[in-house]
């Protein structure tokens, strides 16, 4: 049977403010438990929240980046529920008047097309603490350092049609928040977390199927796997004549499955009402304009510029522009090498491969952009061949020094003297009379053999281009 | 509008209030009186009136993003029934 998949994502972005959204306690990751939880975060009697202007600033920047309406008047609400990591018994969030209204992001699909995904809203709220269930017999340990950390919850329309699209959307959001520097985007540390709402229906059915919400998935890979698992689970149930129960599920990465989160809660009724401890947040045109004036070039604009300015393919431009540091690195390489195509090949190829293999970020690259640019220059001015460049590149990675020093130290100068190469080619032809005869009688495939022999004879130092040209001449010559 | 006994029990559960079965009817009466008052107020024509988020005619002030709160964990944890390794301990909340 054919099924249509409908996915909507809720992305929680921790805003990179120095302090909590409603208190002056620090938000540093990894501090000793409860050392960054002040009286306000603990919900002590009599405390009052004071709104962090920088959280507002960052939320508005995000809204501008996704071309959204900014709420000139936004209102905080209380969402009431009981859980030990929420000491006040309610979460301060925004319900009817969020800071960011309807906007959109464009995602790049595998087939090269662009899909526009609408963002319903993004609202400000406070994060909860962390519960540790494992370490204490019959007890739960609560660390409230995270309680009150500012979150921007970004809610998409249910417009994503498969797990790959969901990941592309998530990566775009990640790219935007890191470009804006409103969040460090560190998923492993929970700076960006994702809930996925998944349902399926028969194609053409105007009514959405019953959805399940997969909570708190914290890597791109797991989002894809969790959604794919959930889709198959729905299909299996419905094709067996069963019914989907609307519920919240948790993804277990080890078993690669989602599981129902059994809740003791009888009814989920959050009884939202306007937060009486906070006043409406009013922002004017000037406030928004000031933020608009400081917006950096965003991934889509950068990608478009890479295509026109450097003549890159759509794909290359998108990959490079998706990561702000990588994009800057690439431009720094081009500044030295003056060759965009070779630069993008090296950055996206050898460099990215080694960075990934060693789990390093671009900023941690042991090879500077300038050194990589110089290496490319040496290929272009024929000092070294492409193959020698790989050897130099490895040396640079291993910290053996600047490209020119490595070239000198390893004696890697390419032989470009025509007469020297002609001598080598003559020797190869003289040494292999049988192959020469075969080649001349039409066995073209042997050409590679001669190139190999000539390169070997030159100990890899002859310019491959020149070897090719001279060989062709001499083999055809008689 | 009139609250049923089961709704009173539901509200008590949401508020984590333990109430005696014998008291449910009197709670229902009290809550119904409040709801009747709300009904009366809803009879007022509010067409064109913006809902009020706060009775004060003022705008939220913004705080500068600077750390002002020092670590007072030891002090706060003297109030907690149980704390260990810097964590507040509560009865286990999941099975």
């Amino acid at each position: 049977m054919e099924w249509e998949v409908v996915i909507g994502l809720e992305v929680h972005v921790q805003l990179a403010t120095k302090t909590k959204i409603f208190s002056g306690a620090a938000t540093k990751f990894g501090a000793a438990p409860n050392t960054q939880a002040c009286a306000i975060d603990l919900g002590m009697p009599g405390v009052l929240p004071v709104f962090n202007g920088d959280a507002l600033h960052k939320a508005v920047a995000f809204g501008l980046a996704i071309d959204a309406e900014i709420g000139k008047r936004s209102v905080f609400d209380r969402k009431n529920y009981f859980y030990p990591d929420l000491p006040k018994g309610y979460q301060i969030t925004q319900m009817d008047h969020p800071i960011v209204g309807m906007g959109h992001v464009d995602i790049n699909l595998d087939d090269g097309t662009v899909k526009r995904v609408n963002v319903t809203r993004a609202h400000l709220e406070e994060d909860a603490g962390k519960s540790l269930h494992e370490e204490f017999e019959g007890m739960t340990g609560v660390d409230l350092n995270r309680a009150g950390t500012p979150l921007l919850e970004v809610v998409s329309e249910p417009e994503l049609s498969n797990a790959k699209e969901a990941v592309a959307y998530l990566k775009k959001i990640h790219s935007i928040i890191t470009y804006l520097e409103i969040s460090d985007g560190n998923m492993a540390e929970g700076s960006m977390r994702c809930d996925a709402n998944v349902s399926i229906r028969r194609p053409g059915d105007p009514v959405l199927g019953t959805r399940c919400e997969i909570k708190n998935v914290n890597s791109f890979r797991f989002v894809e796997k969790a959604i794919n698992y959930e889709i198959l689970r729905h299909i299996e149930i419905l094709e067996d004549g069963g019914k989907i129960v609307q519920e919240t599920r948790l993804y277990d990465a080890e078993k690669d499955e989602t599981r129902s989160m059994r809740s003791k809660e009888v009814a989920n009724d959050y009884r939202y009402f306007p937060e009486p401890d906070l006043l409406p947040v009013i922002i004017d045109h000037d406030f928004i304009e000031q933020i608009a004036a400081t917006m950096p070039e965003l991934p889509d604009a950068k990608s478009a510029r890479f295509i026109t300015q450097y003549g890159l393919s759509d794909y290359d431009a998108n990959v490079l522009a998706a990561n702000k540091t990588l994009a800057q690195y690439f431009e720094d390489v081009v500044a030295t090498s003056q060759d965009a195509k070779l630069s993008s090949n090296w950055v996206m190829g050898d460099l990215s491969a080694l960075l990934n293999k060693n789990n390093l970020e671009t900023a941690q690259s042991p090879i500077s952009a300038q050194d990589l640019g110089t290496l490319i220059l040496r290929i272009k001015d024929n000092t070294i061949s492409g193959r020698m460049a790989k050897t130099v590149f490895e040396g640079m990675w291993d910290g053996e020094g600047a490209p020119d020093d490595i070239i000198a130290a390893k004696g890697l100068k390419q032989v470009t003297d025509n007469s020297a190469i002609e001598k080598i080619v003559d020797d190869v032809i003289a040494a292999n009379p049988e192959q020469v005869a075969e080649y001349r009688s039409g066995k073209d495939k042997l050409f590679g053999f001669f190139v190999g022999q000539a390169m070997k004879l030159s100990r890899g130092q002859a310019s491959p281009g020149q070897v090719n040209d001279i060989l062709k001449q001499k083999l055809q010559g008689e | 509008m009139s609250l049923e006994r089961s709704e009173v029990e539901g509200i008590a559960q949401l508020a984590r209030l333990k109430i005696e079965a014998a008291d449910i009817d009197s709670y229902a009466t009290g809550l119904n009186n409040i709801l009747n008052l709300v009904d009366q107020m809803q009879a007022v024509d509010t067409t064109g009136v913006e809902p009020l988020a706060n009775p004060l005619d003022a705008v939220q002030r913004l705080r500068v993003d600077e750390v002002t709160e020092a670590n007072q964990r030891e002090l706060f944890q003297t109030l907690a029934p149980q704390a260990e390794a810097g964590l507040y301990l509560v009865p286990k909340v999941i099975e």
Side-chain angles (χ1 to χ4, degrees):
Chain A
M1 245 185 272
E2 230 183 288
W3 295 97
E4 183 183 279
V5 176
V6 179
I7 303 163
L9 295 185
E10 289 165 23
V11 184
H12 288 86
V13 177
Q14 273 186 354
L15 298 176
T17 52
K18 291 202 277 290
T19 64
K20 305 281 176 78
I21 184 167
F22 299 122
S23 83
T27 52
K28 277 206 192 80
F29 181 83
N34 292 307
T35 53
Q36 296 180 159
C38 72
I40 294 173
D41 307 328
L42 296 179
M44 290 291 172
V47 298
L48 287 171
V50 191
F51 184 36
N52 184 341
D54 196 41
L56 176 66
H57 208 278
K58 290 181 157 62
V60 170
F62 179 80
L64 292 173
I66 63 162
D67 208 9
E69 300 159 34
I70 305 299
K72 299 262 169 56
R73 174 180 177 274
S74 67
V75 177
F76 285 105
D77 297 280
R78 286 190 183 179
K79 177 183 180 180
N80 299 278
Y81 66 94
F82 287 101
Y83 206 75
D85 60 20
L86 186 79
K88 294 194 300 298
Y90 57 84
Q91 177 194 33
I92 304 178
T93 176
Q94 297 186 309
M95 182 66 175
D96 293 327
H97 304 282
I99 181 66
V100 176
M102 184 69 102
H104 58 81
V105 298
D106 291 338
I107 59 171
N108 305 97
L109 303 183
D110 281 352
D111 64 2
T113 58
V114 173
K115 174 170 176 169
R116 175 152 292 185
V117 181
N118 288 299
V119 174
T120 319
R121 57 184 284 158
H123 60 261
L124 281 164
E125 61 184 27
E126 54 181 341
D127 208 342
K130 271 184 192 162
S131 301
L132 302 140
H133 302 293
E134 311 303 327
E135 279 134 76
F136 307 93
E137 187 56 34
M139 302 293 274
T140 292
V142 181
D143 176 6
L144 295 168
N145 279 350
R146 201 180 64 180
T149 298
L151 291 179
L152 187 67
E153 178 175 340
V154 183
V155 183
S156 84
E157 288 287 293
E159 293 178 345
L160 300 155
S161 336
N162 56 54
K164 276 205 158 28
E165 283 186 14
V167 172
Y169 168 82
L170 207 55
K171 284 191 170 164
K172 197 44 150 307
I173 298 287
H174 186 266
S175 182
I176 292 170
I177 60 171
T178 47
Y179 261 71
L180 293 171
E181 295 176 6
I182 59 171
S183 171
D184 64 21
N186 189 328
M187 293 185 82
E189 292 179 0
S191 303
M192 182 170 134
R193 315 193 289 268
C194 172
D195 302 342
N197 286 295
V198 180
S199 69
I200 63 170
R201 64 177 165 189
R202 305 305 306 280
D205 193 334
V207 185
L208 288 172
T210 306
R211 67 189 156 88
C212 288
E213 181 178 15
I214 315 167
K215 273 272 180 210
N216 260 335
V217 196
N218 66 353
S219 85
F220 296 124
R221 202 161 60 90
F222 291 161
V223 167
E224 184 168 349
K225 293 178 101 171
I227 290 174
N228 280 331
Y229 176 88
E230 195 59 18
I231 293 169
L232 286 179
R233 193 181 71 86
H234 282 219
I235 292 175
E236 238 170 70
I237 291 175
L238 291 180
E239 295 196 347
D240 283 352
K243 263 191 156 181
I244 307 290
V245 183
Q246 183 169 342
E247 62 180 354
T248 303
R249 299 177 69 84
L250 264 188
Y251 178 67
D252 181 335
E254 263 171 47
K255 295 187 178 151
D256 187 23
E257 63 179 27
T258 66
R259 272 201 308 271
S260 181
M261 263 174 94
R262 245 160 306 167
S263 165
K264 286 184 192 169
E265 196 74 45
V266 181
N268 248 341
D269 182 347
Y270 295 122
R271 295 151 292 147
Y272 284 92
F273 63 87
E275 166 60 71
D277 289 343
L278 288 163
L279 292 156
V281 179
I282 310 289
I283 50 178
D284 57 18
H285 185 71
D286 284 354
F287 182 90
I288 297 173
E289 281 306 303
Q290 269 175 30
I291 297 172
T294 61
M295 295 287 277
E297 181 184 37
L298 289 165
D300 289 347
K302 198 178 288 275
S303 173
R305 179 168 64 80
F306 280 5
I307 293 167
T308 51
Q309 184 179 342
Y310 299 121
L312 297 187
S313 70
D314 285 11
Y315 177 82
D316 290 1
N318 282 332
V319 170
L320 289 170
N323 179 322
K324 190 181 192 175
T325 347
L326 188 68
Q328 187 57 52
Y329 187 98
F330 161 73
E331 292 206 86
D332 291 345
V333 174
V334 178
T336 305
S337 74
Q338 297 299 318
D339 188 315
K341 188 65 201 146
L342 272 179
S343 298
S344 75
N345 286 349
W346 276 90
V347 171
M348 289 173 61
D350 296 71
L351 182 77
S352 290
L354 268 183
L355 288 173
N356 285 341
K357 196 175 141 201
N358 292 280
N359 243 324
L360 294 176
E361 298 291 330
T362 311
Q364 300 166 298
S365 168
I367 300 177
S368 73
Q370 207 194 345
D371 278 354
L372 184 53
T374 307
L375 176 68
I376 293 168
L377 268 186
R378 293 298 163 259
I379 303 170
K380 286 180 59 181
D381 67 16
N382 275 325
T383 308
I384 52 173
S385 66
R387 185 184 298 184
M388 289 172 185
K390 303 257 178 199
T391 311
V392 179
F393 182 82
E394 280 160 22
M396 287 156 69
W397 182 273
D398 294 335
E400 290 168 22
D404 286 332
D405 297 338
I406 298 173
I407 290 167
K410 298 200 176 194
L412 283 173
K413 293 261 179 201
Q414 178 170 242
V415 176
T416 53
D417 173 7
N418 250 337
S419 58
I421 294 174
E422 276 182 27
K423 166 87 175 52
I424 290 167
V425 168
D426 286 339
D427 287 352
V428 169
I429 288 176
N432 300 283
E434 272 175 46
Q435 283 86 346
V436 173
E438 279 182 57
Y439 179 83
R440 285 179 178 156
S441 65
K443 207 168 170 192
D444 291 349
K445 270 192 267 173
L446 274 172
F447 191 72
F449 163 80
F450 294 110
V451 175
Q453 292 297 308
M455 291 307 290
K456 198 169 150 193
L457 204 58
S458 80
R459 291 193 310 277
Q461 298 194 333
S463 154
Q466 279 167 282
V467 168
N468 266 312
D469 291 345
I470 294 170
L471 254 175
K472 216 165 263 174
Q473 253 174 38
K474 298 230 172 200
L475 282 170
Q476 279 166 355
E478 286 164 45
Chain B
M1 143 158 223
S2 173
L3 280 179
E4 304 290 329
R5 284 178 65 94
S6 63
E7 289 171 300
V8 174
E9 285 169 334
I11 293 164
Q13 157 69 21
L14 282 171
R16 298 294 189 278
L17 292 173
K18 187 177 176 187
I19 57 174
E20 302 297 330
D23 295 334
I24 293 180
D25 283 337
S26 82
Y27 283 124
T29 309
L31 288 168
N32 276 322
N33 284 341
I34 295 170
L35 291 176
N36 288 338
L37 177 66
V38 174
D39 274 348
Q40 264 182 45
M41 291 195 286
Q42 279 184 335
V44 178
D45 182 10
T46 55
T47 319
V49 179
E50 273 278 300
L52 197 65
N54 194 292
L56 299 177
D57 186 20
V59 167
Q60 182 59 44
R61 286 180 57 179
L62 303 178
R63 179 172 55 80
V64 177
D65 186 29
E66 271 164 18
V67 177
T68 52
E69 299 294 325
N71 171 24
Q72 296 189 76
R73 184 176 78 182
E74 306 317 316
L75 176 67
F76 291 137
Q77 294 199 333
T78 57
L79 297 168
Q82 223 180 325
E84 197 179 315
L87 298 162
Y88 294 95
L89 293 194
V90 298
K92 198 155 198 152
V93 283
I94 57 164
E95 287 102 79

